[in-house]
Amino acid sequence: MGARCSKLSLCWWPSNLKSNLHDSSDLENGSTDALPGFREFSLDQLRAATSGFCTDNIVSEHGEKAPNVVYKGKLLEEDRWIAVKRFNRSAWPDSRQFLEEARAGEERLLVAEFMPNETLSKHLFHWENQPMKWAMRLRVALYLAQALEYCSSKGRALYHDLNAYRILFDQDGNPRLSCFGLMKNSRDGKSYSTNLAFTPPEYLRTGRVTPESVVYSFGTLLLDLLSGKHIPPSHALDLIRGKNFLMLMDSCLEGHFSNDDGTELVRLASRCLQYEPRERPNAKSLVTSLTPLQKETDAPSYVLMGIPHGTASTKQTVTLTPLGEACSRLDLTAIHEILEKVGYKDDEGIANELSFQMWTDQIQETLNSKKRGDAAFRAKDFPTAIECYTHFIDGGTMVSPTVFARRCSCYLLSDMPQEALGDAMQAQVISPDWPTAFYLQAAALFSLGMNNDAQETLKDGTNLEAKKHRN
């Protein structure tokens, strides 16, 4: 999983990647500071979590046009939201290099904790409701410096192409650093994807990234935080040398910061952007310089950011019936027990007009199939129950939404969610206002990884339930 720093966390988890971020001796000695090993996910797991990499789940700022697309998904077994970064082949053309780092084969995927509150780029350059407050900008700078110091202390001082897109905000509004930049090496010569004007000068000369290169990129981020724009370092340094640093400041911040604080941050940015790498501060020095500048330290980040606390709830906020609750948890045993207990009372009023000829020639066999199916359902012999209920349904002489519901439950317990969804939908066709049909659809949708649709279907079932009780 992701490696958490003291304040600003590393949030990317590589799919099919063994961790090389920790010293195994730390783990053996039980050190609480040791970085946890990375998890492996199967491609099927990630397909299910993202509804088959559905375009509706794309959260990349440039959508499908992004060179490497990020999908929102949910690991059902853990009730955890994730982000899945999917690389196209041209983005990482050397498959041997990727295999060395991720052992991922044809699919190039990285898995991360989902960050619901966008990137620093979004909040600085493309804000809609309010510009980022000065206190929050200072906090981002400090947390980022702490993260880089932490990584350096763990032997991971190199970070490739540090920029405002690599900093994301979690549900509490705290900034997080994508650890993808810790993994990629520079042999492809393309470690810096930003405009060359923002690239460390030594990288342009040698094609290699050093810890001092990371500090240079940190300096460009300080300029972003100061100005609310992406200003080329050369232009910024010209303004600083001419003592026109106030021209660097974001006009939206006017009156909200002291000149002394602004001057100190400009000085720090200038030191980070020195042409000679040896003249730049190290990460520990950055933390020391930024700590005394912090403002409103008791205010939570989400307050400073002006965002709701936490992500929008993915849980049903209204009271669910026991069946609805079981379906929301995908508790298949409870679903089976509830359907068995309820029996066929909800079939009352379903029209089954039968001719005398049908009764004498066919109905007895149909009823026997249903009876055998019910016995198998009670005995939890789900393959037999499916077979008998199918015989009843195919007979076509009677319709029963409960039979479809029971067969749906059998399909779920037999790991056949697509068939289960079909039965739940058929039960709804027969009985359009039956909450059970909607609840079971939700369970099937959860099984298929279609979580947003499942939540909406749960709401529909709950609304029908409430309407029924009002009447």
Side-chain angles (χ1 to χ4, degrees):
M1 284 189 170
R4 289 183 178 269
C5 301
S6 57
K7 296 217 175 172
L8 194 154
S9 302
L10 310 175
C11 64
W12 285 106
W13 308 330
S15 169
N16 295 328
L17 176 66
K18 289 185 177 178
S19 172
N20 58 357
L21 295 185
H22 64 260
D23 182 340
S24 59
S25 62
D26 285 340
L27 297 180
E28 291 167 5
N29 295 331
S31 169
T32 56
D33 291 332
L35 294 171
F38 282 99
R39 286 185 53 188
E40 293 187 359
F41 298 93
S42 69
L43 183 56
D44 286 342
Q45 277 180 294
L46 300 185
R47 278 203 186 103
T50 59
S51 303
F53 298 105
C54 176
T55 55
D56 291 343
N57 290 329
I58 292 176
V59 292
S60 313
E61 289 196 12
H62 299 292
E64 290 182 271
K65 296 180 180 178
N68 305 307
V69 179
V70 179
Y71 297 83
K72 177 182 177 182
K74 190 173 187 182
L75 296 173
L76 293 176
E77 62 272 19
E78 301 175 28
D79 195 31
R80 181 192 291 273
W81 289 98
I82 60 172
V84 181
K85 189 169 187 176
R86 192 182 200 187
F87 297 88
N88 63 35
R89 297 186 185 185
S90 61
W92 212 320
D94 185 348
S95 60
R96 288 177 301 173
Q97 177 186 333
F98 195 90
L99 284 167
E100 278 183 31
E101 305 218 15
R103 295 193 294 109
E106 289 303 309
E107 281 288 352
R108 293 154 165 79
L109 299 166
L110 295 176
V111 182
E113 181 180 357
F114 178 66
M115 298 288 107
N117 284 307
E118 307 286 358
T119 66
L120 178 61
S121 174
K122 172 77 172 179
H123 290 287
L124 273 181
F125 309 142
H126 311 292
W127 55 271
E128 296 173 359
N129 298 321
Q130 66 175 46
M132 185 179 287
K133 293 183 177 179
W134 178 243
M136 191 64 205
R137 299 185 195 208
L138 291 172
R139 184 173 297 182
V140 169
L142 175 61
Y143 282 21
L144 175 56
Q146 288 173 328
L148 295 177
E149 181 190 16
Y150 178 87
C151 294
S152 182
S153 73
K154 296 298 179 181
R156 302 293 301 193
L158 301 185
Y159 193 98
H160 298 255
D161 202 14
L162 179 63
N163 60 58
Y165 289 96
R166 294 284 174 85
I167 300 169
L168 306 99
F169 294 89
D170 65 16
Q171 63 180 14
D172 296 321
N174 290 318
R176 304 279 197 101
L177 175 63
S178 161
C179 68
F180 171 61
L182 290 171
M183 300 164 202
K184 190 178 180 187
N185 67 34
S186 58
R187 289 182 310 199
D188 59 4
K190 297 179 181 177
S191 288
Y192 278 84
S193 59
T194 53
N195 188 296
L196 291 180
F198 298 88
T199 300
E202 64 274 12
Y203 180 80
L204 293 175
R205 295 196 304 267
T206 67
R208 297 186 64 83
V209 176
T210 67
E212 292 77 19
S213 307
V214 180
V215 173
Y216 185 94
S217 295
F218 181 86
T220 68
L221 274 169
L222 289 182
L223 294 180
D224 292 346
L225 292 166
L226 282 163
S227 66
K229 297 183 285 290
H230 206 35
I231 297 178
S234 59
H235 177 56
L237 289 172
D238 286 342
L239 291 174
I240 294 169
R241 292 187 193 103
K243 298 187 178 180
N244 293 321
F245 80 86
L246 285 177
M247 294 183 65
L248 282 174
M249 300 303 297
D250 190 337
S251 60
C252 296
L253 294 173
E254 190 172 344
H256 295 283
F257 69 96
S258 72
N259 283 350
D260 288 344
D261 286 345
T263 300
E264 194 59 40
L265 210 61
V266 166
R267 278 197 192 123
L268 187 58
S270 178
R271 290 171 58 204
C272 293
L273 296 170
Q274 291 300 301
Y275 184 83
E276 292 296 335
R278 65 177 180 275
E279 296 179 3
R280 300 171 197 156
N282 58 29
K284 186 174 183 178
S285 177
L286 295 175
V287 174
T288 301
S289 298
L290 288 163
T291 299
L293 297 180
Q294 298 304 300
K295 311 294 181 187
E296 301 183 50
T297 54
D298 292 333
S301 293
Y302 65 86
V303 172
L304 294 179
M305 294 281 286
I307 57 177
H309 186 200
T311 57
S313 175
T314 58
K315 298 289 186 182
Q316 181 61 257
T317 56
V318 292
T319 303
L320 289 166
T321 63
L323 179 60
E325 183 64 37
C327 290
S328 73
R329 299 192 315 268
L330 206 57
D331 186 340
L332 303 183
T333 300
I335 292 171
H336 172 266
E337 290 174 353
I338 292 168
L339 290 178
E340 182 185 355
K341 184 177 180 180
V342 169
Y344 285 83
K345 72 180 185 65
D346 288 325
D347 277 13
E348 296 173 7
I350 301 297
N352 280 297
E353 297 180 2
L354 302 170
S355 69
F356 179 75
Q357 187 65 28
M358 276 188 175
W359 178 264
T360 56
D361 292 346
Q362 301 176 36
I363 197 64
Q364 193 60 52
E365 178 57 29
T366 300
L367 290 174
N368 286 341
S369 296
K370 175 176 161 296
K371 190 178 294 185
R372 289 193 298 271
D374 291 341
F377 187 75
R378 285 193 299 273
K380 299 182 181 179
D381 179 1
F382 302 119
T384 300
I386 290 172
E387 181 182 350
C388 294
Y389 287 144
T390 299
H391 192 275
F392 171 85
I393 291 167
D394 291 347
T397 56
M398 299 181 69
V399 292
S400 167
T402 297
V403 166
F404 279 104
R406 289 189 166 203
R407 192 173 70 169
C408 170
S409 172
C410 293
Y411 279 137
L412 286 171
L413 284 155
S414 302
D415 197 22
M416 301 169 70
Q418 195 66 56
E419 291 81 355
L421 180 60
D423 272 1
M425 294 176 73
Q426 191 59 44
Q428 180 192 341
V429 170
I430 299 170
S431 218
D433 297 325
W434 192 33
T436 295
F438 289 85
Y439 291 145
L440 290 173
Q441 282 181 55
L445 289 165
F446 278 128
S447 293
L448 291 165
M450 301 172 68
N451 302 301
N452 292 338
D453 292 334
Q455 292 292 349
E456 291 302 315
T457 307
L458 270 181
K459 290 178 186 176
D460 291 340
T462 303
N463 291 337
L464 286 171
E465 197 83 51
K467 181 179 177 182
K468 184 170 72 172
H469 289 303
R470 284 197 301 270
N471 298 335

